[in-house]
Amino acid sequence: MSGPAGGTARAATTTDVVCLGESMVTFLPSQPGRLADVPSFGRGIGGAESNVACALAAAGHRAAWVGRVGADGFGDHLVETIGGYGVDTSAVRRDPVRPTGIYFRTATDRGAGAHEVAYYRAGSAASAMSPANVPYEEVFAGRVLHLSGITAALSADCLELLRDLTAPRPGRPLVSFDVNHRPHLWRGGDATVLLELARRCDLVFVGEDEAEEAWGIVGAEAIRAALPEPGVVVVKRGSAGATVFSGLRPGPRSSNAGGAENTPASRSTEGAGAENAPASRSGEGGGAESGPASRSREGGEAEVVTQVPALRVDVVAAVGAGDAFAAGFLSATLRGLPVRDRVRHGHLMAAAVLTVPGDLTEPPARDHADRLVALDDEAWGRLRLGPGWTAADRAPEEVRTP
């Protein structure tokens, strides 16, 4: 059944995380240079939410992707490729009229002035998602529902859908929201709606830079003040790492829907990680780590603030790392790990993607990642990860320290 429902029955939940959003076919350049000069492109897939689903499935979790694609070859490629990672794509809908979105990009860093991206997504099948045609029973079938602000920018119907999915309702799963502010999608629009959506969620990933650009809010403390409702707010600080605000209080969904017992792990260990890949470039990062610090919030509620430094990474391509960080953090959340460890797993998953050319890669084996996460602060600060490091537990050690 599609469309809104009064409640959400999840007694027979078998899915860990459901990710909803647009996925597109991406064309990667065969060589550096302007799009006008690149002679050929290789085909891949790209989409914040489907990237998270693929990374979670590769890490051994039961993940599902809900989206809408065209009844075309590109739609076939997306569904087959995402499904190939072990992701459940049974709830993906086909649009008989609208096409699957595609885009081309250059090989340079997204933040570089020479970076180019050419999107062909206007009027795409995904932009037609709405409360009337999305299968709510599948969307709410997991322990976690992961969304992003990209979907809200695609169309008025998509924005209406996100408003409905983030509304309090009985039995709502933990809702994870990656702000993912993309300025080119909000030209002529009001990106402050992302703040409205974030306040309705339980776990929020937001970068300091995007909070300033989209909302005019500067600094981690000010961001937390603007987002008082979510149980966990992760402020991504680039090469400085991440600051996580978490509390022992119920999130916004408990006002009308479900309580803390519906979260994937105990509230006492609930934390978050930084989506925007605060894994730093070569030579940066590291530094002292600040453990959890408690403080009183308004009303006497306990607030825990945890700071975790970024890793030093020899970056191959700075794309897809934010989605990988979210996946790493969510994976550790599902395992009930402490805040610091969730953030560290996010950093490691991001580092895996930063050291390959595309948006997706095989994550480090769980026991390998757990060994690195368990390092003391000094050893963690010395880590420097380069291409091939994820195979270090199956080959000669490739994790280098200065």
Side-chain angles (χ1 to χ4, degrees):
M1 181 180 71
S2 298
T8 305
R10 298 191 299 118
T13 293
T14 58
T15 303
D16 292 322
V17 181
V18 175
C19 303
L20 177 144
E22 180 175 37
S23 190
M24 295 181 290
V25 172
T26 176
F27 290 92
L28 309 174
S30 58
Q31 65 184 43
R34 303 183 310 154
L35 285 179
D37 300 326
V38 175
S40 61
F41 296 81
R43 185 180 62 177
I45 64 171
E49 301 85 0
S50 60
N51 284 350
V52 171
C54 289
L56 284 167
H61 297 284
R62 295 163 300 193
W65 171 56
V66 177
R68 192 173 181 87
V69 300
D72 50 35
F74 288 145
D76 293 341
H77 177 66
L78 282 176
V79 173
E80 292 167 5
T81 304
I82 294 170
Y85 281 88
V87 176
D88 181 354
T89 60
S90 60
V92 176
R93 298 296 187 258
R94 297 293 189 126
D95 192 307
V97 177
R98 299 172 182 85
T100 302
I102 65 173
Y103 71 98
F104 297 77
R105 67 171 175 84
T106 54
T108 52
D109 185 341
R110 178 179 289 163
H115 184 68
E116 295 177 73
V117 182
Y119 288 102
Y120 299 90
R121 73 195 310 177
S124 69
S127 70
M129 288 190 296
S130 74
N133 60 27
V134 165
Y136 272 50
E137 60 274 27
E138 281 91 350
V139 171
F140 288 121
R143 299 163 66 191
V144 176
L145 171 61
H146 181 70
L147 307 168
S148 97
I150 293 174
T151 305
L154 298 180
S155 68
D157 283 344
C158 284
L159 175 56
E160 181 185 359
L161 173 63
L162 282 204
R163 281 180 166 143
D164 195 55
L165 293 178
T166 57
R169 68 179 68 227
R172 192 183 88 172
L174 184 146
V175 177
S176 166
F177 184 73
D178 186 340
V179 171
N180 251 333
H181 176 240
R182 297 288 185 265
H184 67 275
L185 291 176
W186 290 99
R187 294 191 185 111
D190 182 8
T192 59
V193 71
L194 297 175
L195 182 61
E196 169 201 330
L197 293 171
R199 294 183 64 175
R200 296 153 67 101
C201 299
D202 304 294
L203 162 63
V204 175
F205 300 97
V206 59
E208 277 189 321
D209 54 349
E210 60 185 350
E212 182 174 3
E213 184 172 20
W215 308 330
I217 298 173
V218 180
E221 295 284 344
I223 292 170
R224 178 50 161 166
L227 292 168
E229 295 88 355
V232 177
V233 173
V234 184
V235 180
K236 305 163 292 182
R237 305 177 61 211
S239 62
T243 299
V244 181
F245 299 89
S246 57
L248 305 181
R249 57 199 174 83
R253 64 201 174 107
S254 63
S255 58
N256 294 324
E261 71 277 5
N262 289 330
T263 60
S266 166
R267 277 282 184 184
S268 63
T269 60
E270 188 164 83
E275 173 277 347
N276 231 7
S280 62
R281 308 303 166 82
S282 59
E284 299 177 357
E289 181 159 338
S290 171
S294 297
R295 67 179 185 183
S296 295
R297 300 195 72 213
E298 186 176 348
E301 297 169 329
E303 173 87 323
V304 179
V305 183
T306 306
Q307 298 183 35
V308 181
L311 287 167
R312 290 180 291 184
V313 177
D314 295 332
V315 176
V316 172
V319 292
D323 306 327
F325 191 103
F329 171 75
L330 288 171
S331 173
T333 299
L334 291 163
R335 296 172 61 196
L337 301 183
V339 173
R340 186 207 70 167
D341 293 2
R342 299 179 190 199
V343 178
R344 283 188 171 189
H345 273 287
H347 285 319
L348 289 170
M349 195 82 87
V353 171
L354 285 168
T355 50
V356 298
D359 289 20
L360 294 167
T361 189
E362 181 183 358
R366 180 172 290 184
D367 61 345
H368 182 200
D370 284 345
R371 290 198 306 270
L372 295 179
V373 166
L375 292 173
D376 61 33
D377 292 351
E378 183 179 356
W380 176 264
R382 291 198 307 267
L383 277 179
R384 179 170 176 173
L385 305 177
W389 76 268
T390 57
D393 61 332
R394 297 182 292 275
E397 185 61 41
E398 296 176 9
V399 178
R400 307 192 310 274
T401 56

